[in-house]
Amino acid sequence: MSGTCNCDTMDQELGEIIINLKNLRVLSLSCHLTHRTGDHKHSWLANLQTHNLSELEFGCHAQYNWADEICVELLAPCMKKLTAVKLDGIMYGHMPSPWHPPRELDNLLAHIDTLAYNEHSSLHTWLVSKRSIKKVVSLLFFTLDQLLSSKLTQALVTSSSRLELLYTQNVHIWLPMQDPSPYLSLQSIGSISINSSTSVSIILITDVTANQMAQESEILDYLKPLAFLNCLAFVECGIRDGDRLSTEWSQELFAQVEVQHPSLTHIYLVSRKVTLSPVRWPPALMYEKSTTCGWKKSPCDCLTYWDIATGKDFW
């Protein structure tokens, strides 16, 4: 068996196929090739023949300076129509990838409005502050690192755009501690982790009525700190136990939810482990507010954060 690495050959052969897809609109690339100092993988991205690319998922775990490298490709003519970009890079030694802004900054993702990332590079901060970002998806642990959450808030404060969607872990814990001004236009948020280690999940309700009443009050406690979000229409609640999704929430609970959040029309219950993962978990549930018969429950697909941000269909 030869010890020769074929990663570069694989990358080139893949690129030769993809660059000729002239009608390509959505591209998802997740790279786990071998890392070597000095590598510049995926340079073929700059040569895509399509002029219709609007959505790009780029994840490279093969190089430390991926943020610098991908900017070379993002400045190419084929990238000019991008509106949704997911940048998924590996963190070496818990340090974010360095980013040295290119000279052609005016042309870098000029039309982007949806951004997803899993580490805090200065590239992400720049995009949030300088572009019209309306949707942000992050897997950073803001609840554990207030510095990271404050950087997002500071970037949003300097932005001319109004954030409409925000998906990260335990958003109900860290968001109320931020300057509220950049978040007042939020219409869709997640995840509210209703099975956190600090409390009993409402999903774990049994048929015992007494327990149900006590546990339904807990979900109100999760939503109460977010009452300042007057435009909120959609809430995602992340749970781990998909077998418990059959729980029937009472109309009394929803009546109290409506007092806190009168604009709320959808509550999405989903079992997931890694919210940016392409892996689909058990079917989810959607509680939808009806104008005639209260809140109704129906099964729906399990979507990732990125699916929701880019408008994938729940049914």
Side-chain angles (χ1 to χ4, degrees):
M1 180 180 292
S2 173
T4 303
C5 177
N6 295 318
C7 289
D8 289 342
T9 301
M10 293 171 60
D11 182 44
Q12 293 170 7
E13 291 178 348
L14 177 65
E16 289 173 0
I17 297 172
I18 296 180
I19 61 174
N20 293 311
L21 302 177
K22 295 184 178 180
N23 295 317
L24 189 65
R25 295 178 181 272
V26 177
L27 175 59
S28 178
L29 174 64
S30 180
C31 168
H32 294 268
L33 300 177
T34 302
H35 165 70
R36 289 204 306 265
T37 303
D39 275 0
H40 182 177
K41 290 182 169 62
H42 325 306
S43 59
W44 50 264
L45 283 169
N47 300 318
L48 296 178
Q49 298 302 301
T50 180
H51 295 287
N52 301 309
L53 192 65
S54 61
E55 181 181 323
L56 173 66
E57 295 182 65
F58 175 82
C60 184
H61 294 240
Q63 52 200 40
Y64 169 63
N65 59 335
W66 69 268
D68 280 344
E69 300 292 359
I70 189 58
C71 277
V72 176
E73 282 73 49
L74 292 177
L75 287 167
C78 57
M79 303 288 178
K80 287 186 176 181
K81 292 185 178 181
L82 280 174
T83 58
V85 176
K86 172 188 167 187
L87 299 175
D88 181 7
I90 191 169
M91 294 180 68
Y92 288 86
H94 304 287
M95 295 295 292
S97 299
W99 182 60
H100 305 91
R103 295 180 180 179
E104 307 89 343
L105 272 178
D106 290 344
N107 298 320
L108 180 62
L109 298 176
H111 302 291
I112 185 178
D113 60 23
T114 302
L115 175 66
Y117 55 93
N118 76 333
E119 67 152 89
H120 190 84
S121 167
S122 54
L123 168 59
H124 306 130
T125 303
W126 185 89
L127 288 171
V128 172
S129 62
K130 299 299 183 181
R131 294 295 181 248
S132 298
I133 303 294
K134 295 182 179 180
K135 302 175 183 179
V136 170
V137 173
S138 172
L139 275 186
L140 295 173
F141 289 92
F142 287 156
T143 53
L144 301 179
D145 193 334
Q146 292 302 310
L147 177 61
L148 294 178
S149 59
S150 63
K151 284 184 177 181
L152 174 62
T153 300
Q154 292 167 10
L156 288 169
V157 167
T158 61
S159 172
S160 60
S161 182
R162 294 188 176 185
L163 195 66
E164 297 177 357
L165 178 147
L166 176 63
Y167 278 76
T168 186
Q169 300 187 37
N170 298 315
V171 67
H172 60 297
I173 297 177
W174 69 265
L175 184 54
M177 295 186 289
Q178 303 301 307
D179 175 359
S181 58
Y183 303 101
L184 295 179
S185 297
L186 279 174
Q187 300 173 21
S188 179
I189 64 168
S191 280
I192 294 180
S193 301
I194 56 179
N195 62 337
S196 68
S197 59
T198 57
S199 61
V200 181
S201 168
I202 188 173
I203 297 301
L204 299 181
I205 294 175
T206 66
D207 292 332
V208 181
T209 303
N211 287 340
Q212 178 175 343
M213 293 179 62
Q215 292 167 351
E216 283 191 354
S217 68
E218 293 186 17
I219 195 64
L220 294 173
D221 292 338
Y222 290 119
L223 291 172
K224 185 176 180 179
L226 303 173
F228 68 95
L229 301 177
N230 296 325
C231 300
L232 191 61
F234 188 101
V235 170
E236 187 250 35
C237 296
I239 67 170
R240 294 193 184 97
D241 192 349
D243 294 334
R244 302 286 183 166
L245 283 174
S246 60
T247 299
E248 189 71 43
W249 289 1
S250 69
Q251 291 301 315
E252 289 77 11
L253 168 65
F254 289 113
Q256 296 180 68
V257 168
E258 289 178 24
V259 172
Q260 291 182 355
H261 298 278
S263 299
L264 192 63
T265 58
H266 292 80
I267 298 178
Y268 178 52
L269 300 179
V270 59
S271 174
R272 62 167 93 255
K273 294 182 179 179
V274 181
T275 47
L276 284 180
S277 169
V279 176
R280 296 299 187 268
W281 300 100
L285 291 177
M286 184 76 75
Y287 274 104
E288 186 173 6
K289 182 180 178 181
S290 168
T291 56
T292 58
C293 51
W295 290 76
K296 295 298 181 181
K297 178 180 68 175
S298 60
C300 61
D301 290 339
C302 178
L303 302 187
T304 66
Y305 284 178
W306 183 246
D307 291 334
I308 297 173
T310 51
K312 302 300 188 297
D313 198 344
F314 286 93
W315 291 276

